[in-house]
Amino acid sequence: MGKNKLVIFGLTVLAIFVLLAAAAPLLAPYGPDEIVASQTLPPSFSHFFGTDDLGRDLFSRALFGARVSLSVGLVAVLISIVIGTLFGSLAGYYGGFFDSVIMRFVDVMLAFPSIFLILAIQAMLTPNIYNVMVVIGLTSWMGVARLVRGEFLRIRELQYVEAARAIGCSDRRIIFRHILPNAQAPIIVAGTLGMAGAILTESALSFLGLGVQPPMASWGNMLMDSQAYMFDAPWLAIIPGLLILVTVLSLYFVGEGIREKLDVRQ
């Protein structure tokens, strides 16, 4: 029962954040880059989250930042799932040479610390939201590939797959119509947890100045802007930090709930 409550909590929080992000232009009292008051005002009825170091309304920036952070997480994880599923299915279904080549490539990618690889790529590119999405997606597919490969190795030996081969089904049909739908459980869970990781990575990149670039608001660069005011105006760091924390925890709760729901052994 406790775990069910955590899943419900996670789904509720995510639904609220998605709705707030979608309705940001309607709900935000000010524009995300509009200077509306004095600098570093504390939270009040006029400015729910206070103002930042330039006098911009933090509540408005948090709403628009939710759109950016959630979009980065979603697009990046979709890229990683597509690439990981493609490589993992080829390696698991065909085995042999394909398996050896693909998994050695996965091992090479895993040998590089992901954050340093992302930083190196971002340093060579022009940092913007699109590059952030693509770079995070291209450097986070290896775990999905391993999961999908393991499922394919297990499922390809089952009787219904052998029957599909016996009646002359093509490899493409067997992979996409017979095996992949039955290997979706770990993919869905990996996608949910991967989105949480992508949001954290975007926040870290923006905090270091290599992610979403100002004046576009994201929770990560809101944290970056707060560095010089940690003691004088702590709400500048606490508010975006809490938003990231609650979002990531909610995704973890939902991912764990999906894993248990789809696990046939439960």
Side-chain angles (χ1 to χ4, degrees), residues 113-140:
S114 59
I115 187 63
F116 294 114
L117 182 60
I118 293 171
L119 289 175
I121 296 174
Q122 280 293 90
M124 293 185 291
L125 301 174
T126 301
N128 58 55
I129 184 173
Y130 305 107
N131 286 343
V132 170
M133 293 175 178
V134 173
V135 168
I136 295 175
L138 292 177
T139 55
S140 58

Side-chain angles (χ1 to χ4, degrees), residues 241-260:
L242 281 177
L243 291 173
I244 294 170
L245 173 66
V246 172
T247 303
V248 171
L249 280 178
S250 298
L251 285 166
Y252 282 141
F253 292 153
V254 172
E256 182 64 18
I258 293 174
R259 185 194 65 79
E260 291 189 355

